[in-house]
Structure formats: C-alpha cells, structure tokens
Amino acid sequence: MAPPGMLPPAPPRREPHVPWWQRDGVISRVLAVAGVAVTLIGVVMLLVLAAQAGFFGPVPRVVSGAVFSAVLVGAGVRVVGKAGGRVGGIALAATGIAGVYLDVVAVTAVYHWLHPVLGLAVALAVAAGGVGLAMRWKSQPLAVLVVLGAALLAPFVTTELVLLGFLIVLQLACVPVQFGRDWPFLHIVRTVPAVLATLVSIAIALIETLDHGRELWLLVASIAIALVGASGTVLVVRRRAGDIVATLAFAISTTPMLAVVALFDRRIAALVAAAHAVVLLSLAATAVTPKMRALTKIPGHTAIAAAVAGSFALLEACVGATSTQTLPIATLLVALGFLGVAGQLRSSAVAGLGLAFALIGGLAFAATATPERLASPRLAEQHLSISTTLAAVIGLAVVAVAVWTVRRLAGTPKGGAEESILWIAASGAALYLVTAAIVAVGAATGAADGFVVGHSIATIVWMAAATAALLYGLRNLARSAAIAKVALGSGLLVTTAALAKLFLFDLATLDGLIRVAAFLVVGILLLLTGTRYARAFAEAGGSGGASPGGTEARSGADPAAE
C-alpha cells in the first residue's frame, strides 16, 4: 500500500494498436514502389513492344523514353525537398534513372546505335549518377530501386550476351557506395541479378551447342563478377569487419566461376578451376594467423567464405586433372595439407575442410578398391594397380594426421571414451588401407601367386600392428593406465580382426607354403604377446600397479581368470 497522503502510481499507458496499413508512410511506400514498377514496364513497352508493333520510329521511341525519364528525375528532385515529398521524390527519381538506363540498353542492344563498349560506359555513368544521388539524399531505397528496376527489366529489352555486361555494370557502379554507407540490401541487389543471369546463360550453353566464342565470353563475365564481388567485399569489410552481408554477396559472386568450368574440356576446366582456387585460398590464407589478420584486416567470416569457395574450386581442379584411379591420390593429398595446417594452427574451419576432402578421397578410394575387388584375384588384377597402393599410403598419412589434429582441437582426455572411439575408427580405416596397399602391390606384379602373397602379408601386418599396440600398452601399464587402456583395447580389437581374417578368408583362399607361413607367423606373435601380457600383469599385481580398467590388480591374480 502507498503511504498515507500519497497517491498510488498510475499504471503505464498502453499505446493503442495501429494496423499496419494505417501506420505512417506504409501505404505511401507501397504505392510508390508499385508506381515505379508500372512506369518502368511502360518504358520497356515503349522501347521494345512499340518497335515490334511498328509504332513510331526508332528515334521517336528512344527520344521520348529519354525525355520522359529526365522529366521524372527532375520532378523527383523538385518534390523531395518539400514537406511529405521524400517518398514520392525518391520514387520519381528512381523511375527516371532506371528508365534512362533501360534506354541506353535499348540503344546499344536493340538499335545498335552505340558500340557495346561505349554503351556500357554510358550505362556506368547513368548508374553512377543514380547511386551518387542516393548517397547525397542518404537513401538506400533510391539506390535499391534504381538497381533493381534496371536489373529486372533489362532482360525484357534484350537477351543477348551484352545483357550480362549491363548487369555487371550495375554491380560495379554500387561498389563505391558501400564504402561510405552501410546499405546491406544494396549488396544483394547489385550482385544477385548478374549472378543469376550468368548462371542461366551457362545452363543454356550446356544444353545447346554453342560456338566457342560465346563460351569464352561467359568465362569473361564470370571472372568479372567474381573480381567485382571479391574486390568490393574486401574493401568494404576492411572498413566494417562486421558486415556479414558483404561476405554473403562475395560468396554468391563466386558461383558463376564454379559453374562455368563445365563448358570446357577437362584440361582447360582444371586450369580455370585451379587458378580460381589459388586466388580464393590465398585470400583465405590472409586470416590464418593473428599477425596476418592485423595486417590485411580481413575478418574471419570473409576468410571462411573464401576458403569454402576455394575448396570447391580445388575439388573441381582435382576432378578435371585426374582419372578414376588417381582421383583418390589428389583429394587425399589436399586433405593431408588441410589437416596439417589445421592441426598446426588449431583451426576448426580448416579441419572441417580437410575432413571433407578426406571423406571424398576415402569414398573415391573405396570405389576403386572395393571389398569385392580385394577378395577376388581376377578383379584385383583388373582394377588394382600401383596408384591404388600410393593412394592407400597417402590415406594412412591422412589417418595419422587426422588423429593428431582432432586430438589437438578437441583436447580429448587420454583414455576417455572419445579417444577410444577415435582410435577404433582410425584403426579400422588403417587396416583397410594396409590391406588394399599390399594386395594391390601383389596384383600389380602380375605373378601367379601375387594376390595370395599380398593377402598373407596383409594378415601378418595386421597381427604385427596388433602386437605393437599391445606391447606399447603393456609398457605403459604402470606409468599411465589411461594410455594403456586405449592401446590394449585397440590391440585386442586388431588381434580379433586378424584372427577372423586368418580363419574366415585366408584359410579358404591361401594355399601351400603361403598359408603355412601366415599361420606360423601369426601364431608366434600371439604366443609372444600372450607371454608378455601375463608377465606384465603379474608384475603390476606384485607392485600394486593399476590395471587397464583403472583398478589395482591383486597380487598373484591371473588376469585371464579375472
């Protein structure tokens, strides 16, 4: 209760809910945008449809369109300074400037009164004047309406290849605006039209049989879009590091370059993709260290976008420059490089790219060295070669570096469940790669018993690796129970796999002295490991050491009995 003599505080006053259509300026803006659209459609009809119907002559059509657009711009300049005239003035000026731009497109592409180079230069001047007026009025809607109106209606004036040039001019003319103004919508509307038009043109070129010159012009247009997008974004984000939309526009601008390589043969496509990858990955590399980030001022989100786009380009280069047999080698080498850098710099983003390439390389390798081919002498001799062995060796290096990188990034506790899962997955991949490498060598020799010798050696290598893991675990039994647990667990799993292969595959496939040698070597290794295993636990129990499970072994206890 309020103290005597004081009134209770009045409840807060609730503002009455106003429907959206009654809010200040909403209807006027909707009507203005509709007016811009309808008027520009009328300008297009004057320039194109009237020509198709034979109304008037070319000169009256062009002159009337230019005069009409100039009158609209003048009316907008006159109206914008009056009370309540800003919305109308912006709409009138945007309609007029876009109309002049469409007039230039028609003069260049339809009537051919201007050479394309001169026409593009005049269009650049018109677009620059429009965005300059938008900067003077501090109006993002004016710039957006000018660019969007011209970009959406220009394809109705012409569908020739020069259309891409006019759309790229719009993209270029807006770049200086972004330095002084944080206008995110302008980033998108200046980039998307040129990108979409180029992608559609590329798709049409893939379907139809076009001349070589048109393909080259599409490549030039794609390069221009990528250069304008990259340079504009870099210059903007150096001033405003938090401009995510600029990075999004940059990522969009890279897509035509990724698509245009499909128009060329494998060699040229690989060269174009490789050059694109070098540029993008070089841009991404500017942010890998704090010193380089401070020098270049490229924010992390822009570097990540460049790295992802560059990785796609690098994958295209790998596919274009290799065959089915050598594709795993190329992709696994890229994965090895990415993972090595990621581990050194502790970069999760680079590690993600490396793991993606490792997955692609692993799938490509599995498609070449399938389990069926590894199990059949005839298929192995037909499809496996030294390149398979080389890919497998590189794959083993990728597995080792991937484990090192993941442990550095994740900080998995030694002996924890996460580390156990990591080592189990790595062991499984390594066993498959080792088997493929050795069998491929045996099959590639062309010897009658090369396949069976390869499988015999593979089984022995499996058991040798298991023995090494077990001995390493036993050596660390007293010093680190966590390390011992992981090593012994991995070793026992590999031992089980080696024995399963020995009895389920080798016994039925191998013959003669080769089978005898496999059984003898595996048996000796098992005896050696078993003896060392029992002695290690006896010593650990006698000294009160820790068992792999983390509990202290009882003195004189038999680990097998436990």
Side-chain angles (χ1 to χ4, degrees), residues 46-83:
L46 175 65
L47 294 172
V48 180
L49 298 183
Q52 295 176 355
F55 297 151
F56 315 115
V59 174
R61 287 192 293 267
V62 172
V63 172
S64 60
V67 170
F68 180 66
S69 298
V71 169
L72 290 177
V73 175
V77 173
R78 184 179 180 85
V79 169
V80 75
K82 296 182 178 180

Side-chain angles (χ1 to χ4, degrees), residues 284-375:
T286 59
V288 295
T289 62
K291 183 179 294 186
M292 294 181 69
R293 282 196 299 270
L295 180 63
T296 60
K297 299 180 181 179
I298 303 297
H301 53 83
T302 304
I304 291 175
V308 173
S311 297
F312 277 109
L314 187 57
L315 179 60
E316 288 180 334
C318 291
V319 173
T322 60
S323 62
T324 304
Q325 293 287 335
T326 56
L327 178 60
I329 298 175
T331 50
L332 289 174
L333 280 174
V334 173
L336 188 62
F338 273 129
L339 290 171
V341 173
Q344 188 68 30
L345 301 177
R346 298 180 183 268
S347 172
S348 299
V350 180
L353 295 175
L355 291 175
F357 270 94
L359 178 61
I360 294 171
L363 293 175
F365 181 82
T368 301
T370 62
E372 182 182 10
R373 293 174 181 176
L374 292 178

Side-chain angles (χ1 to χ4, degrees), residues 93-110:
T95 306
I97 296 168
V100 173
Y101 196 90
L102 295 174
D103 209 43
V104 175
V105 174
V107 167
T108 305
V110 178

Side-chain angles (χ1 to χ4, degrees), residues 237-546:
V237 296
R238 281 171 57 86
R239 294 170 175 259
R240 295 189 302 274
D243 197 338
I244 303 294
V245 181
T247 295
L248 176 61
F250 159 64
I252 295 172
S253 69
T254 63
T255 54
M257 277 297 297
L258 296 175
V260 76
V261 295
L263 299 178
F264 301 93
D265 59 49
R266 290 171 61 91
R267 183 177 301 177
I268 297 177
L271 289 174
V272 172
H276 191 205
V278 168
V279 173
L280 292 175
L281 293 177
S282 299
L283 177 60
T286 59
V288 295
T289 62
K291 183 179 294 186
M292 294 181 69
R293 282 196 299 270
L295 180 63
T296 60
K297 299 180 181 179
I298 303 297
H301 53 83
T302 304
I304 291 175
V308 173
S311 297
F312 277 109
L314 187 57
L315 179 60
E316 288 180 334
C318 291
V319 173
T322 60
S323 62
T324 304
Q325 293 287 335
T326 56
L327 178 60
I329 298 175
T331 50
L332 289 174
L333 280 174
V334 173
L336 188 62
F338 273 129
L339 290 171
V341 173
Q344 188 68 30
L345 301 177
R346 298 180 183 268
S347 172
S348 299
V350 180
L353 295 175
L355 291 175
F357 270 94
L359 178 61
I360 294 171
L363 293 175
F365 181 82
T368 301
T370 62
E372 182 182 10
R373 293 174 181 176
L374 292 178
S376 169
R378 179 180 60 83
L379 294 178
E381 292 175 358
Q382 290 177 353
H383 299 284
L384 303 184
S385 62
I386 296 300
S387 62
T388 308
T389 302
L390 180 58
V393 172
I394 298 172
L396 288 171
V398 170
V399 170
V401 176
V403 170
W404 171 70
T405 300
V406 170
R407 293 186 67 188
R408 282 177 63 87
L409 290 176
T412 53
K414 294 183 178 181
E418 296 85 355
E419 188 172 32
S420 299
I421 295 173
L422 178 64
W423 280 108
I424 290 172
S427 299
L431 289 180
Y432 193 90
L433 291 167
V434 166
T435 303
I438 298 175
V439 173
V441 170
T445 59
D449 55 352
F451 175 81
V452 293
V453 170
H455 266 289
S456 175
I457 296 174
T459 304
I460 294 172
V461 170
W462 283 27
M463 194 60 219
T467 301
L470 290 171
L471 293 178
Y472 179 77
L474 293 174
R475 193 181 308 118
N476 288 274
L477 189 60
R479 288 178 288 182
S480 175
I483 295 177
K485 178 181 178 181
V486 173
L488 292 176
S490 301
L492 290 175
L493 284 174
V494 177
T495 300
T496 303
L499 291 176
K501 182 178 184 298
L502 185 67
F503 283 97
L504 298 178
F505 180 83
D506 295 354
L507 186 61
T509 305
L510 308 184
D511 55 7
L513 292 177
I514 298 174
R515 180 167 55 188
V516 173
F519 272 78
L520 285 177
V521 174
V522 171
I524 291 172
L525 291 175
L526 283 171
L527 290 173
L528 172 65
T529 307
T531 302
R532 182 69 183 89
Y533 200 90
R535 191 177 68 182
F537 272 85
E539 293 173 351
S543 60

Side-chain angles (χ1 to χ4, degrees), residues 125-192:
V126 172
V131 296
L133 184 62
M135 290 188 67
R136 181 179 177 183
W137 289 358
K138 299 180 181 179
S139 172
Q140 180 179 197
L142 174 57
V144 170
L145 286 174
V146 168
V147 174
L148 199 58
L152 291 180
L153 292 177
F156 293 95
V157 178
T158 181
T159 56
E160 297 298 326
L161 199 59
V162 72
L163 170 65
L164 301 182
F166 283 105
L167 297 178
I168 294 171
V169 163
L170 291 174
Q171 181 193 14
L172 176 63
C174 297
V175 171
V177 182
Q178 303 294 144
F179 299 159
R181 297 284 185 266
D182 185 11
W183 290 350
F185 292 109
L186 189 59
H187 276 307
I188 302 301
V189 298
R190 74 179 176 86
T191 304
V192 171

